[in-house]
Amino acid sequence: MIEDPRSKMVRHIMIYAILTVGAIVMMVPLLWTVSTSLKTRDKITIRRLELIPDPIAWENYPYLLEARPIIQYTRNTMIIVVASLFGAWVPCTLAGYAFARIPFPGRNLFFGILLATMMLPYVVRLIPLFLFFDEIGWTRTFGPLILPRLLGHNAFYIFLYRQFFRGIPDDIHDSARIDGCSEFGVWWRIFMPMSRPVLAAVSIFAFSFAWNDFLNPLIYLGSNKELWTLALGLNALQGFEGDDNSLNLIMTFSMLMIIPMLVVFYFGQKHLITGVTASGSLKG
Amino acid sequence: MQASLKSKHVQHDATRKVRLQEWWFRNRALIGYAFIFPWFAGFIIFDAMPFIYNLYLSFTDYQIGTVSTPPWIGLDNYTEIFTEDKLFGKSMYNTLYYLGYSVPLRLIFAFFIALILNLRVRGMELYRTLFYVPTVVPLVAATVIFAGFLNTRYGFLNQFLVLIGAAPVRWLSSPDAIKPSLILLSLWGFGAQMIIFLAGLQSIPDDLYEAAAIDGGTGWHRLFYITVPLMTPTIFFNLLMGLIGGFQVFEQVFILIGTHGGPLQAGLVYMLHVYNKAFRDFEFGYAAALSVILFLIIFVLTILLVYTSNRWVFYGDAQDDET
């Protein structure tokens, strides 16, 4: 296409202007968080905009680790994360493999059920599940948070795996089977190693959903401070309007929750998009 | 089976292994069932049974003191919701207000920025990351950050407004500003939809645009006759997911303004009402009825959207495989 160079330049300037202004607006809350997390207590109560704190209160970080049981919160959160990753790696991939590769009577029916559960809002299961776990004495324990995750109770992950596995050529599967490889062997030796992108994508989801979960820990662990997760700890630190003296520490805590997510995202971003689009999830 | 019965002679491991493999080969279906078993067990325990029990609960007067079988009260919970419960209407209104703004605005921002990023200008990766990063922030942290960011006295936004000579706003304590604050927080996460749009845009084959250019189509033509029609499945997906999620908005509100929903309960969304009934008042039967109503709304809406999608969603994707 032939384009007038002047109008092309104007267009470019407009594009960059929109993107830059937009990006600044999006980043301001985060920059403010970083800045506030490094402010001393008397600095936060000054009613004046000050983006670069003076002095920089690095001590907020070690102070918070000492003042709040951050290590314990992290350990508790990691227990849920690990259960979630196990579920995402083993039972979910097996189910995805079966739905993609093993013909068995009723497969379409089961798969239909799986899809239907993806649309089932959590709210209609919340109360009975709570009553059930209460009945068997599991409230105030990790049980309700761990058991569903260990079983790989996530239709979305299974769906993503299934879509990805269907994209692996039949020949590979068939030749392995003819060579006497069991289904389990095909899954473990061939499909799992070939599925790194989708495994990475699902692992990121599993990590972040477990790391960010708030409602379930709130309901089941809310009254047992020993088992609080980072999300619960952060929420408890937050005061409401009028009680803002620890705004800096709240932001320090927020940063502690954000940084691991940024690291996971940084290493996984390449896979996040390829994994999900390769699974064709958007095409249904 | 017969094969294993016939073999009376001494088996060494190799033949036994082969037999086992043969047996499994013929009984693949069993392996299939074994592989989906954990999921299916989870489905029964964590989906099907709770769903049915929830429905049952909604017809009972199950409360905190209820020990054995909860008393069956028929449709009483539902009549109470529709005739006496003032908070039902209020929370439904708040939720719809929130949805009505946040879902379309998120989609518009996400689509617009994705279109610009898809122009493949230099530095696109950096911009994409900057727009996406807020969605990586855990929801609890994002909400707590906004609570500080919107703080009347010490928050960034009001200090900024004062700096440019505007009047500060009581974002979280005035009834008029609560819902806009929640919508603002939701908009901060539009990167999630943006990245999905971007993936969709990048899968549109270039030759379609080239063909349009040869035929003399302008940029607007390309946008409205190629890009938008080909993107309708993605728009549909984001719209549906946005609505389903928006109806269930909870954590942000719980953390930002507390369980009471703020002054005049301007921030009391539907899920908060359900939560309060169940976990503060311990009226489980009543809360179950509220949840059933929300489920029905989401269900009917999904059906309607899927049903009407034939009219505006374009599924003629060339690179579509089966399903």
Side-chain angles (χ1 to χ4, degrees):
Chain A
M1 241 186 309
I2 304 135
E3 209 175 353
D4 173 20
R6 212 166 352 145
S7 79
K8 194 180 172 187
M9 208 177 79
V10 170
R11 207 174 61 123
H12 260 83
I13 291 171
M14 267 179 60
I15 288 170
Y16 281 110
I18 293 170
L19 287 180
T20 308
V21 170
I24 289 172
V25 171
M26 293 295 277
M27 290 318 284
V28 158
L30 269 185
L31 295 175
W32 181 80
T33 306
V34 176
S35 147
T36 308
S37 80
L38 295 171
K39 279 181 184 169
T40 55
R41 198 178 179 142
D42 42 312
K43 277 288 178 180
I44 51 167
T45 48
I46 293 175
R47 295 201 204 177
R48 202 183 55 239
L49 208 55
E50 189 186 76
L51 266 184
I52 297 166
D54 172 43
I56 296 181
W58 294 110
E59 66 269 19
N60 284 349
Y61 285 81
Y63 174 77
L64 185 73
L65 286 177
E66 215 172 288
R68 290 274 156 170
I70 301 287
I71 307 292
Q72 195 187 338
Y73 292 158
T74 311
R75 197 206 58 196
N76 293 340
T77 310
M78 285 314 288
I79 289 172
I80 300 171
V81 166
V82 168
S84 202
L85 287 175
F86 173 83
W89 288 335
V90 184
C92 284
T93 53
L94 284 172
Y97 177 81
F99 280 124
R101 288 299 175 167
I102 306 177
F104 55 88
R107 189 172 75 166
N108 288 340
L109 176 71
F110 284 112
F111 190 65
I113 294 173
L114 182 94
L115 291 181
T117 60
M118 281 171 73
M119 291 287 169
L120 194 66
Y122 185 46
V123 60
V124 284
R125 297 175 287 132
L126 183 69
I127 295 160
L129 277 176
F130 177 80
L131 295 174
F132 165 68
F133 284 124
D134 192 43
E135 188 74 29
I136 60 173
W138 276 21
T139 46
R140 299 166 59 89
T141 73
F142 282 129
L145 300 163
I146 284 181
L147 182 67
R149 291 186 160 97
L150 281 178
L151 280 175
H153 181 64
N154 193 310
F156 176 57
Y157 304 159
I158 297 174
F159 176 74
L160 285 181
Y161 287 132
R162 184 252 189 191
Q163 299 298 94
F164 189 88
F165 291 156
R166 277 163 65 98
I168 294 177
D170 283 339
D171 306 353
I172 296 178
H173 184 233
D174 293 343
S175 56
R177 296 278 295 152
I178 289 161
D179 290 347
C181 203
S182 67
E183 291 290 357
F184 196 79
V186 178
W187 166 77
W188 176 245
R189 295 214 188 94
I190 298 167
F191 277 62
M192 289 295 270
M194 287 181 77
S195 307
R196 289 224 182 90
V198 70
L199 280 171
V202 171
S203 303
I204 295 169
F205 289 134
F207 178 88
S208 78
F209 291 160
W211 187 260
N212 300 344
D213 193 6
F214 180 73
L215 179 57
N216 290 309
L218 177 74
I219 290 170
Y220 292 111
L221 308 175
S223 56
N224 187 356
K225 286 194 176 184
E226 291 287 300
L227 303 184
W228 273 15
T229 59
L230 284 164
L232 287 182
L234 175 55
N235 178 52
L237 187 63
Q238 190 231 6
F240 293 122
E241 197 87 355
D243 174 25
D244 318 309
N245 288 331
S246 48
L247 211 55
N248 52 349
L249 291 180
I250 292 170
M251 297 308 146
T252 309
F253 199 143
S254 298
M255 289 307 294
L256 291 180
M257 263 198 96
I258 294 170
I259 291 164
M261 281 300 301
L262 286 177
V263 171
V264 168
F265 168 71
Y266 178 78
F267 287 108
Q269 61 172 336
K270 191 177 67 196
H271 300 297
L272 198 60
I273 297 169
T274 47
V276 171
T277 49
S279 306
S281 65
L282 302 179
K283 302 231 164 75
Chain B
M1 284 302 223
Q2 270 191 334
S4 67
L5 285 174
K6 264 189 233 162
S7 58
K8 283 177 187 157
H9 55 83
V10 185
Q11 295 175 326
H12 22 89
D13 284 350
T15 53
R16 191 192 282 159
K17 205 177 159 200
V18 168
R19 294 261 152 69
L20 199 65
Q21 277 169 359
E22 277 170 4
W23 189 84
W24 278 123
F25 209 91
R26 271 180 279 116
N27 293 279
R28 282 179 89 186
L30 281 182
I31 304 183
Y33 290 126
F35 279 14
I36 67 161
F37 180 75
W39 162 74
F40 192 70
F43 162 73
I44 297 290
I45 306 169
F46 305 121
D47 292 319
M49 277 170 32
F51 179 75
I52 294 162
Y53 191 63
N54 190 60
L55 207 59
Y56 162 74
L57 271 182
S58 76
F59 298 112
T60 70
D61 188 24
Y62 195 128
Q63 298 200 9
I64 183 73
T66 310
V67 255
S68 56
T69 323
W72 179 269
I73 54 168
L75 288 170
D76 282 8
N77 285 329
Y78 292 94
T79 12
E80 194 183 329
I81 289 170
F82 287 117
T83 56
E84 287 163 47
D85 189 350
K86 291 197 186 83
L87 293 182
F88 168 72
K90 176 122 203 151
S91 60
M92 186 52 82
Y93 168 78
N94 288 339
T95 307
L96 290 174
Y97 184 104
Y98 170 81
L99 270 181
Y101 284 98
S102 74
V103 173
L105 284 176
R106 270 172 83 115
L107 288 190
I108 291 166
F109 278 135
F111 195 72
F112 179 66
I113 297 295
L115 275 179
I116 295 182
L117 290 177
N118 196 42
L119 295 173
R120 289 155 218 199
V121 291
R122 200 174 306 163
M124 179 269 206
E125 282 84 5
L126 174 69
Y127 283 111
R128 187 187 65 192
T129 307
L130 291 179
F131 281 104
Y132 188 73
V133 157
T135 68
V136 178
V137 175
L139 186 58
V140 176
T143 311
V144 166
I145 287 170
F146 260 65
F149 193 75
L150 299 175
N151 185 294
T152 307
R153 281 167 296 172
Y154 314 126
F156 175 90
L157 201 53
N158 274 350
Q159 291 179 344
F160 180 75
L161 288 175
V162 169
L163 194 73
I164 60 169
V169 177
R170 283 160 59 225
W171 292 103
L172 300 173
S173 49
S174 86
D176 295 335
I178 284 182
K179 282 189 280 285
S181 299
L182 288 170
I183 293 163
L184 216 57
L185 170 57
S186 140
L187 288 182
W188 197 42
F190 80 78
Q193 278 80 35
M194 181 200 75
I195 213 89
I196 297 175
F197 279 138
L198 199 56
L201 287 171
Q202 284 167 353
S203 72
I204 297 177
D206 282 337
D207 43 353
L208 283 177
Y209 291 119
E210 282 156 20
I214 289 165
D215 290 346
T218 65
W220 293 109
H221 285 137
R222 278 180 292 169
L223 178 62
F224 287 109
Y225 293 111
I226 300 174
T227 313
V228 172
L230 284 177
M231 287 298 285
T232 45
T234 317
I235 296 171
F236 177 71
F237 174 82
N238 276 337
L239 177 69
L240 188 62
M241 289 300 141
L243 287 173
I244 293 176
F247 266 111
Q248 299 183 77
V249 59
F250 171 74
E251 305 184 352
Q252 302 92 305
V253 195
F254 182 91
I255 297 166
L256 208 54
I257 45 191
T259 46
H260 295 294
L264 299 179
Q265 287 162 317
L268 185 88
V269 291
Y270 198 88
M271 268 299 288
L272 208 51
H273 189 36
V274 178
Y275 176 87
N276 285 337
K277 279 293 171 193
F279 299 106
R280 289 175 74 88
D281 303 342
F282 301 109
E283 294 180 28
F284 294 114
Y286 192 82
L290 283 172
S291 75
V292 169
I293 293 171
L294 185 62
F295 166 75
L296 287 176
I297 291 172
I298 293 175
F299 184 72
V300 170
L301 191 83
T302 308
I303 300 282
L304 276 178
L305 268 176
V306 171
Y307 185 72
T308 55
S309 70
N310 299 332
R311 297 197 194 150
W312 62 277
V313 178
F314 178 73
Y315 283 117
D317 198 337
Q319 46 182 355
D320 223 358
D321 56 351
E322 5 130 46
T323 35

